[in-house]
Amino acid sequence: MNLEGKVINFLGDSFTEAGGATSLEYGFVAVMEREYLLAKARNYGVCGTCIAKRLRPYGIKEQDESWWEDFVTRAKRMDHNADAVVVLGGTNDYGHGDVPIGSLTDKDTTFCGQFNVLCDILLQNYRGKPILIVTPTPRGDISGPVGDGGRNFATGELSEYVSAMIAIANNKGLTVLNLFDDPQFALGQELDVLCHDQLHPSNYGHRLLAKKIAEQLQKM
């Protein structure tokens, strides 16, 4: 796929919204639009959001209601007139999602169930167009089955969410960019690739994200 002049929808969470970058212009979506000469990079990233719909709203009443909207809800509203779609998410489902991870064949309220639904929506709305699924990167707390402490029940480690995303996407014929196992995003590189929070990309990390996503799209 030649990226120049293309319109791409980017669906995601704080990573897509440019979390960790010093300003929006240094987020990977803006970097891709600028450096790969896209006609338009539509940013559908909302900080804090999960792929799977939360059963309970966030506890902060003043919190922007957009934080409560899962990827499935927002995918239905995206502009269908696009040349490709990139989805980057899952870290919040592990971190503070409040539904079980579920089984690969689920079509219900579990993480796997909602990821299946999301993939089906994208395949229907962007039939024949490149759809790229990008896994979460490693983070400082990858092995706690209750995520970052917000759940009172165990679901799985971050690697289990990543494995489920890869398996479901592969079953549906979707391309996956696995950043969880990418050594360039390994932990211990905070203040270089990752910010001091050991989660969000730095400016350099966003540039690296842009490069890897662009290279994968160019192969599709």
Side-chain angles (χ1 to χ4, degrees):
M1 176 183 182
N2 179 13
L3 300 184
E4 184 174 350
K6 297 298 191 297
V7 175
I8 302 179
N9 288 350
F10 293 87
L11 177 63
D13 47 39
S14 57
F15 279 57
T16 300
E17 196 178 36
T22 53
S23 67
L24 290 175
E25 66 179 309
Y26 295 110
F28 80 86
V29 176
V31 171
M32 283 191 62
E33 183 177 56
R34 184 169 60 248
E35 298 195 358
Y36 293 90
L37 304 178
L38 302 181
K40 183 68 175 177
R42 299 196 187 105
N43 193 326
Y44 293 97
V46 179
C47 176
T49 52
C50 300
I51 288 173
K53 183 177 181 62
R54 289 179 57 88
L55 297 179
R56 293 169 295 280
Y58 289 98
I60 307 173
K61 290 185 178 180
E62 292 76 18
Q63 182 61 59
D64 187 334
E65 289 187 5
S66 65
W67 271 46
W68 305 350
E69 287 196 333
D70 54 278
F71 282 32
V72 172
T73 299
R74 284 181 288 130
K76 296 174 182 177
R77 290 206 308 264
M78 291 198 302
D79 193 326
H80 295 182
N81 185 23
D83 298 300
V85 179
V86 176
V87 179
L88 170 53
T91 195
N92 290 329
D93 293 88
Y94 160 76
H96 54 251
D98 65 352
V99 299
I101 191 169
S103 303
L104 297 181
T105 56
D106 285 352
K107 286 293 183 72
D108 54 17
T109 59
T110 66
F111 171 76
C112 288
Q114 289 297 285
F115 187 63
N116 268 308
V117 171
L118 173 63
C119 291
D120 289 343
I121 290 171
L122 297 176
L123 285 167
Q124 177 179 346
N125 292 347
Y126 304 94
R127 193 179 305 275
K129 305 288 182 64
I131 300 171
L132 177 61
I133 305 297
V134 185
T135 73
T137 62
R139 50 187 282 169
D141 53 343
I142 62 173
S143 59
V146 295
D148 56 21
R151 285 192 300 271
N152 59 6
F153 64 94
T155 53
E157 298 183 0
L158 181 56
S159 61
E160 296 178 62
Y161 286 81
V162 171
S163 295
M165 291 176 68
I166 293 172
I168 291 171
N170 285 342
N171 286 340
K172 295 180 181 295
L174 297 176
T175 302
V176 176
L177 176 60
N178 182 4
L179 297 182
F180 186 78
D181 293 321
D182 189 319
Q184 289 186 278
F185 283 94
L187 292 175
Q189 300 191 67
E190 58 271 20
L191 303 183
D192 183 4
V193 174
L194 301 179
C195 287
H196 58 82
D197 66 357
Q198 291 192 317
L199 172 61
H200 297 96
S202 62
N203 285 356
Y204 173 76
H206 274 282
R207 289 187 64 83
L208 185 59
L209 263 176
K211 178 176 182 292
K212 289 183 177 290
I213 290 172
E215 288 177 346
Q216 186 64 63
L217 286 172
Q218 287 169 335
K219 297 175 184 177
M220 296 172 68

